[in-house]
Amino acid sequence: MTWEPVIQLHNLTKAYGQAAAVTGLNLAIRPNQVTAFLGVNGAGKTTTIKMLLGMIQPSNGDAFVLGTSIRNAKDSVSLRRDIAYVSESKQLYDYMTVGQILRFTRPFYSDWDTGLEKELLDTFELPLDHRIKSLSKGMRTKTALLLAFARRPKLLVLDEPSDGLDPIGIEQMLQRLVTQCSEGTTVFFSSHQIAEVERVADNVCMLHRGSLVLDSPMDQLRESYRQVDVGFSHPIDPSAMLMPGVENIRCDGRQMRITVRENADLVMGRANDLGAISVEAAPVGLREIFLEKAGGPKYCSGTKPG
Amino acid sequence: MLWYKAWLETRMRFCIALVLCVGLCSELIISLPRSGSGSVDLVGLHGVHSALVFVWTLGVTLLMMGGLLSERAGGSSSFTLSLPVSRFHLMAVRTLVGAIESIGLAAAPWVAMLILAGHNGEPRRYLTQAGLHILLLLGGGSVLLTMTLLLSTLIEGEYTAPTASLGIIILLAYTFSGNDLVAYSPFAFMTGLRYFNRRDGALSGPVPWIPALYFLAAAACLFAVSVTIIRRRDF
């Protein structure tokens, strides 16, 4: 590893009684890049994020954010000056107006950019004199995003940032994310919106039932993942197609759909050797990968991954 | 800026409690019989103070609503906890603002009472009377304030914690009303029944600094327990 990770998890675990929310996470987040954190509801994304921010104590393991251990409560306070966070709920103080929450938040951060604050107020069309209570969900999300962006933090952690935003708002948010990243901010965000992730993420991590099931640069995913459709004229044992890199095999009569993490050429070669009458490989989108990973591996009966 | 937040959060409740406290005390003072000089005597003031204790307790319970657990129920605790301040700092500011507002709730009605009561030619005596009563109210009340704080760290929900607080306050008042425990009762201390002469309303004995310090120490313990609970809690 030639880069210094902005976030590094070492066997990070959180359990509530017998139920494990996050299990032995090991992960390193690259600096100055956008990393997406995917997973179905309840996969452990928010729990992981909250552990990184010191809101939840880990049951085991440790994590370092900007070089500081999350177990160090004293350093955690100063660490939060360099991190901006937008929570899943986007809830702010209902009793404040937009102007009041800006006045309240600004003094906590010496690097607050008032020029950017004005720019974002215009872009997001936020009414300064309106109470947060009276704002729509989208406007509340925009307010939370403004409070995070205007700080120019070293690390931006966003939990479902597009939740409640209309398409224009999503576009504005994504553009801002890319801009912040190009200006030196590391972005770590969780999302269910695969299309957004594909557009802006440099790296993708995926959690499933509290465990990391994917950690890869986006380019590598695009290059290496393939879906291989194979047709046979005769019945064939699907286990014959099991080999390193095969993630999933679905069978429909004499047709097989094989999801391949790597070595697609070898899989196609094996199919040809077994007398396949048709072999076709196509790139796999992140959505398909997500569904495969989140749904867990599904193999034809009697087969196990290679 | 946490002071600003605490003030914005509580100002409406503070104003309501202030109007209630001042309004009730003023009304009672106005309705009291007056001496030949047209003023209310010290016994009358002492009686109105007992009513103030009741409204003040309600007011303080209202003021101490909120906190991180309540914010968690509303969803804003994540924003608060992402700010570069410690949980101790958050709680300390909230408690101090609550304490300052409680002082206001104790002092403002007495100012109104003194103005409306007149002074029977003894202004210094009336002022001393007010000061002593405020001391007693705040000394014993500090326990109730921090107990409400503690409950707000244990019970989630914006209205559940203050409702539980009121229930516990009533229970405590009943428990401490027995002769054996009355010396430890913050309520008896706040009303000052044991320290003032019922015939002339004057202080009978020295200023009860020691019991006041005991109550303040108990309040400090309750605050420390509250901070420990919040520090360890997952949000």
Side-chain angles (χ1 to χ4, degrees), chain A residues 16-204:
Chain A
Y16 295 98
Q18 295 293 313
V22 173
T23 316
L25 275 191
N26 289 294
L27 185 64
I29 301 299
R30 293 167 176 80
N32 302 80
Q33 294 197 355
V34 178
T35 300
F37 198 38
L38 303 180
V40 295
N41 293 330
K45 303 184 299 291
T46 300
T47 304
T48 305
I49 287 172
K50 286 188 168 182
M51 281 195 279
L52 295 177
L53 294 163
M55 295 177 196
I56 293 178
Q57 285 297 308
S59 306
N60 205 358
D62 201 356
F64 292 84
V65 181
L66 299 168
T68 302
S69 169
I70 59 168
R71 287 189 174 275
N72 187 337
K74 278 187 183 169
D75 288 349
S76 169
V77 173
S78 56
L79 176 65
R80 273 178 264 150
R81 284 200 183 89
D82 296 324
I83 307 174
Y85 169 58
V86 175
S87 72
E88 189 182 16
S89 70
K90 320 289 182 303
Q91 285 290 339
L92 301 165
Y93 309 128
D94 280 348
Y95 49 86
M96 288 191 190
T97 62
V98 174
Q100 283 172 334
I101 201 152
L102 283 169
R103 259 201 305 284
F104 166 70
T105 312
R106 223 179 273 143
F108 286 105
Y109 307 101
S110 54
D111 49 0
W112 186 275
D113 187 334
T114 45
L116 181 58
E117 176 196 312
K118 283 192 182 106
E119 185 190 322
L120 289 169
L121 276 172
D122 287 343
T123 308
F124 291 156
E125 296 175 347
L126 289 168
L128 281 172
D129 55 343
H130 282 215
R131 279 200 192 282
I132 285 161
K133 195 178 186 175
S134 69
L135 296 180
S136 67
K137 191 176 181 188
M139 295 297 256
R140 215 175 290 175
T141 300
K142 285 177 178 178
T143 309
L145 286 168
L146 187 156
L147 294 172
F149 288 145
R151 294 171 37 191
R152 296 200 177 277
K154 287 181 184 163
L155 172 63
L156 189 52
V157 180
L158 310 170
D159 200 349
E160 305 286 348
S162 62
D163 193 25
L165 292 179
D166 59 28
I168 296 170
I170 292 174
E171 191 56 38
Q172 290 165 337
M173 184 270 293
L174 291 177
Q175 279 179 12
R176 191 64 235 166
L177 272 193
V178 173
T179 306
Q180 297 263 141
C181 188
S182 68
E183 290 168 356
T185 297
T186 302
V187 180
F188 183 61
F189 79 108
S190 81
S191 180
H192 289 305
Q193 305 301 321
I194 305 289
E196 291 170 15
V197 172
E198 281 189 307
R199 272 193 55 196
V200 298
D202 300 304
N203 306 286
V204 180

Side-chain angles (χ1 to χ4, degrees), chain A residues 14 50 54-57 77 80-81 85 87 89 91-93 95 100 103-105 107-109 147, chain B residues 1-2 4-5 8-9 11 71 74-76 78-87 232-235:
Chain A
K14 180 65 186 180
K50 286 188 168 182
M55 295 177 196
I56 293 178
Q57 285 297 308
V77 173
R80 273 178 264 150
R81 284 200 183 89
Y85 169 58
S87 72
S89 70
Q91 285 290 339
L92 301 165
Y93 309 128
Y95 49 86
Q100 283 172 334
R103 259 201 305 284
F104 166 70
T105 312
F108 286 105
Y109 307 101
L147 294 172
Chain B
M1 287 311 284
L2 291 176
Y4 177 64
K5 171 183 180 284
L8 289 181
E9 193 178 352
R11 63 182 175 178
E71 286 187 2
S76 58
S78 292
F79 179 73
T80 305
L81 290 170
S82 71
L83 296 169
V85 284
S86 65
R87 293 183 186 188
R232 291 182 180 173
R233 192 155 194 138
D234 281 346
F235 284 88

Side-chain angles (χ1 to χ4, degrees), chain A residues 1-13:
Chain A
M1 198 187 291
T2 54
W3 38 270
E4 190 71 28
V6 171
I7 300 173
Q8 187 148 34
L9 314 185
H10 296 294
N11 196 33
L12 195 67
T13 300

Side-chain angles (χ1 to χ4, degrees), chain B residues 128-209:
Chain B
T128 309
Q129 181 87 346
L132 286 169
H133 276 93
I134 291 170
L135 169 78
L136 296 175
L137 180 56
L138 295 175
S142 63
V143 176
L144 302 185
L145 187 135
T146 47
M147 193 188 69
T148 312
L149 178 78
L150 175 63
L151 286 168
S152 75
T153 66
L154 292 170
I155 303 168
E156 200 165 324
E158 199 173 352
Y159 300 104
T160 324
T163 308
S165 289
L166 280 177
I168 290 173
I169 285 168
I170 291 167
L171 191 71
L172 283 177
Y174 178 75
T175 309
F176 282 108
S177 62
N179 280 338
D180 297 342
L181 293 172
V182 76
Y184 307 102
S185 169
F187 308 100
F189 186 79
M190 288 160 77
T191 51
L193 292 175
R194 298 173 63 227
Y195 304 105
F196 288 89
N197 190 320
R198 291 185 190 197
R199 276 177 297 169
D200 59 8
L203 185 68
S204 56
V207 178
W209 291 111

